[in-house]
Amino acid sequence: MSDETKSPSRRSLIKSLVFVPMGVGVAGAIQGVTGASASTTTTAEGKPDDYKPTFFNADEWRFLGAAVDRLIPHDEHGPGAVESGVLEFLDRHMQTPYANGGLWYMQGPFLEAAPEFGYQGKLPLRDILRVGIKAMDAHCTANFSGKRFADLGVAKQEALLKDAEAGKIKLENISAKLFFSNLLNETRNGYFADPRHGGNKNMGAWKMIGYPGMRADYLDWVEVRDKPYPIGPVDLAGRRG
């Protein structure tokens, strides 16, 4: 991957995003998978809990643990995806009507349409992730002496994710770009969502970007651009960060 002295970290890119209070959305995107180390001496906002997945199987869970850690690693700016509970968010979200296609129009014809028409495929979100994980692991075992994605080193994992983002990997039964874009979106969603959904433990992501959360009144600060918001966030349950 790139020299970290020359490439901005993913965390710097996240800090430049504008949060949209939609429960699980942010405006903008992390552009590319640029190099950022997961190692740090900074105290973490939280630690991975003992959540046990009920949707993803063991191999899928290992893949996700490695992948989301590369997409949003812990660093000096704030918590990483794993310690923030993104894995729990993903597992829980896959069991909702949104992820299983219950809220989607899932009838044919299925085709590849122009981007402005949105996704027109036959797989709901949870199957996009499940099929993509299986295909990525199959690609890895075929090209790296039987090793799955989670067994590879950090640099190789990042290179594979970057290639998937660019569509340079040919996966069986799914587009690598489609899989990566949905994995990245869901990782971001879990990272910035209200903690009630399983991610954003201790409102660590909100604290990092200075988002006030569900505070009743912060209109005086809406137009302020040269000062950080001075008060901690509040989640939907009324907990203060």
Side-chain angles (χ1 to χ4, degrees):
M1 294 297 287
S2 55
D3 185 340
E4 290 185 21
T5 64
K6 298 179 181 179
S7 299
S9 71
R10 283 184 291 277
R11 184 76 57 191
S12 298
L13 291 165
I14 292 173
K15 285 173 70 64
S16 69
L17 299 178
V18 178
F19 187 85
V20 178
M22 297 174 57
V24 292
V26 300
I30 301 173
Q31 300 298 326
V33 187
T34 54
S37 174
S39 62
T40 178
T41 58
T42 305
T43 301
E45 181 69 33
K47 297 180 180 179
D49 56 28
D50 295 326
Y51 177 82
K52 304 298 182 184
T54 56
F55 175 78
F56 291 110
N57 63 36
D59 289 335
E60 294 165 345
W61 199 240
R62 287 189 68 230
F63 176 96
L64 288 170
V68 304
D69 188 49
R70 302 319 323 134
L71 293 173
I72 308 180
H74 177 98
D75 67 12
E76 70 275 12
H77 296 293
V82 173
E83 69 199 85
S84 292
V86 169
L87 292 173
E88 178 179 343
F89 169 87
L90 291 173
D91 191 67
R92 290 169 56 182
H93 194 213
M94 293 306 103
Q95 301 174 73
T96 65
Y98 176 84
N100 67 25
L103 301 180
W104 298 18
Y105 178 80
M106 296 302 297
Q107 304 301 314
F110 302 112
L111 47 84
E112 288 194 23
E116 59 264 29
F117 292 105
Y119 175 64
Q120 301 289 317
K122 64 181 179 180
L123 298 177
L125 173 61
R126 69 179 187 179
D127 290 338
I128 290 174
L129 293 189
R130 176 158 273 171
V131 172
I133 291 171
K134 182 178 180 180
M136 279 288 285
D137 266 345
H139 173 82
C140 291
T141 56
N143 290 278
F144 302 107
S145 304
K147 293 183 178 180
R148 295 177 180 268
F149 180 87
D151 299 321
L152 301 174
V154 166
K156 181 58 66 177
Q157 289 174 352
E158 291 185 346
L160 283 165
L161 290 173
K162 190 171 184 178
D163 285 346
E165 179 185 34
K168 296 180 180 179
I169 298 176
K170 299 300 181 183
L171 299 180
E172 186 176 359
N173 299 321
I174 195 168
S175 157
K177 291 185 71 172
L178 174 67
F179 168 60
F180 177 87
S181 64
N182 280 273
L183 175 63
L184 176 59
N185 285 340
E186 285 300 292
T187 300
R188 284 201 316 249
N189 288 344
Y191 191 71
F192 288 109
D194 188 271
R196 71 184 297 177
H197 302 295
N200 193 15
K201 302 291 187 186
N202 301 314
M203 292 171 271
W206 291 357
K207 295 174 186 176
M208 183 185 70
I209 64 174
Y211 178 63
M214 305 301 122
R215 286 192 172 275
D217 182 8
Y218 53 91
L219 291 178
D220 291 344
W221 286 84
V222 170
E223 301 298 328
V224 176
R225 294 291 182 267
D226 59 345
K227 298 178 182 179
Y229 186 69
I231 308 174
V234 176
D235 67 12
L236 283 171
R239 292 185 295 262
R240 299 174 182 272

